[in-house]
Amino acid sequence: MLGLGDLQKGERYKNTDYVLYTVLARMGLKQVALTYDIACQYKKNFFARIAALPEKLCALDIPALSWGLPVWHDNVHDPYCEAAESVKYMVGAGKTDGEGPECVWAVLNPMSYMTKEEHPGARHDDLEDKLNLHNFQKNIRLVEAFRAVAAGVTAEQTREWSKIVLEWLADPTKKNPYIAPKGQGDALI
């Protein structure tokens, strides 16, 4: 899912809230995982800010939200914030890096120069065409990557890793399987 909005000046919460809320309210999903380089701060008071939007918007239902830090941004947060908020450890997020929106900017930035003089309808059509191509190519790469990873994991490994994670999810006081012991390299999973 991607929501785009023309911002007057930078990523102000009010503009970002509006774009995010209107996209979420129209998706018809029950749960959504979101990544943002400042998710740990942005999620604070999100629903209070949403309540301050125009009344006709506030009546729309939005799905349950899970927030996470993209992996290229999580290492600039303190270790506890990184462990608690990183998309690497988000339940249901799979092996995403959460950097999808950042990667899209590399594709869209050149489009901004080509479309800035266009009528809004033509601009939106051109951007939509570019995003459709981007998403199609991404889906092809995801299928190829999944097949490569699945070929290297045994059913026994999957059961063992699933058991460790489910035990930790049921009792977070147990050792976090995603955090490597100091000086021992990789985490359990």
Side-chain angles (χ1 to χ4, degrees):
M1 166 183 65
L2 182 64
L4 294 177
D6 288 327
L7 303 177
Q8 296 94 350
K9 185 177 180 182
E11 293 178 59
R12 295 182 176 171
Y13 278 8
K14 182 178 277 190
N15 295 355
T16 307
D17 289 345
Y18 175 79
V19 172
L20 177 59
Y21 182 75
T22 54
V23 169
L24 290 172
R26 287 165 174 75
M27 293 298 294
L29 302 173
K30 292 184 179 183
Q31 185 172 357
V32 173
L34 301 164
T35 61
Y36 191 13
D37 54 351
I38 57 166
C40 54
Q41 293 300 313
Y42 180 75
K43 69 180 182 179
K44 292 178 182 176
N45 301 315
F46 174 74
F47 291 102
R49 294 192 312 269
I50 292 302
L53 288 173
E55 191 173 326
K56 67 180 181 179
L57 285 176
C58 294
L60 302 172
D61 290 330
I62 62 171
L65 303 177
S66 300
W67 302 87
L69 297 171
V71 296
W72 298 343
H73 291 86
D74 65 8
N75 62 350
V76 298
H77 293 253
D78 69 64
Y80 296 102
C81 180
E82 178 183 355
E85 305 286 347
S86 178
V87 71
K88 291 184 285 194
Y89 316 127
M90 182 188 291
V91 175
K95 287 296 285 180
T96 184
D97 62 10
E99 296 288 350
E102 297 286 338
C103 296
V104 173
W105 296 128
V107 173
L108 290 184
N109 277 342
M111 293 290 294
S112 68
Y113 299 111
M114 294 185 287
T115 62
K116 69 181 176 182
E117 301 289 330
E118 290 182 348
H119 185 273
R123 175 181 165 88
H124 294 164
D125 286 346
D126 286 346
L127 291 172
E128 187 174 343
D129 285 346
K130 188 67 168 178
L131 288 169
N132 285 341
L133 174 64
H134 174 80
N135 287 335
F136 176 76
Q137 292 171 333
K138 178 180 74 173
N139 287 335
I140 297 297
R141 290 189 306 271
L142 284 172
V143 168
E144 292 168 353
F146 177 78
R147 287 180 179 153
V149 170
V153 178
T154 67
E156 179 57 35
Q157 286 173 315
T158 301
R159 282 191 294 278
E160 179 184 340
W161 294 341
S162 296
K163 181 179 180 267
I164 292 169
V165 170
L166 290 173
E167 287 174 355
W168 176 70
L169 289 173
D171 183 4
T173 62
K174 290 188 175 189
K175 186 175 176 182
N176 185 331
Y178 299 112
I179 298 177
K182 290 188 179 190
Q184 293 188 9
D186 294 333
L188 295 174
I189 297 182

